[in-house]
Amino acid sequence: DERLESLNGICVYQYVGDEAVLYWNLDDSVQGVNALALFHRFKSDLKAKEFYFLRQYDFVPTFKAAIHGGLVIGSSLGKRNPHRAFHGDTLNITSRMLGLCHQYETDLLISEVFYRSVKSRFQTDRFEAIHEVDIKGRQQLMKLYKQRKYGGIRLMQNTLKPSFEYKMTISH
């Protein structure tokens, strides 16, 4: 989406089928909160077009997302139109988390790493801790949080005022 590509610091890594993988600087908690706001903006946009989708296609699309943070190894190939590639456990874990959304009956799962990086900037009652989860390909159990059923992300006072078009590692 050109709205994403035009935002400062927000990057689309790749599109994989009907999935978009986005990235940002994990050290920037404002951008992390923006990731949550982006998720809710996408949800809101789909809700606003629900009637159109029902009328045109007799179907309303939905999506799920997983947000995690960590180190990745990046490389660029080519000079004229460089292709960027990321590798590492962070991408694998995020993909596995996305696969767990259905099991935990949620549209959004976030890792403890991500939760800790942004918890001072939003009301943490919006998320519920899940017992430590065994993630395929990982030796240690991992604590995840799922979004509670109600509401969007309400930001704490004196923090960021989002315009709702942000970045996140999101998958559909």
Side-chain angles (χ1 to χ4, degrees), residues 27-95:
D27 292 334
D28 187 339
S29 65
V30 170
Q31 287 184 346
V33 172
N34 289 346
L36 294 170
L38 174 63
F39 173 82
H40 290 284
R41 176 58 188 255
F42 284 163
K43 285 287 185 187
S44 175
D45 286 353
L46 281 176
K47 183 75 175 159
K49 295 175 181 164
E50 185 174 312
F51 181 71
Y52 167 79
F53 284 113
L54 282 173
R55 190 181 61 218
Q56 287 292 112
Y57 306 104
D58 198 29
F59 174 79
V60 177
T62 62
F63 74 98
K64 298 180 186 308
I67 307 176
H68 178 49
L71 296 174
V72 296
I73 296 171
S75 61
S76 287
L77 302 169
K79 286 185 178 182
R80 180 173 273 169
N81 293 318
H83 171 74
R84 178 171 278 187
F86 291 118
H87 309 278
D89 199 38
T90 301
L91 292 158
N92 184 44
I93 289 170
T94 306
S95 178

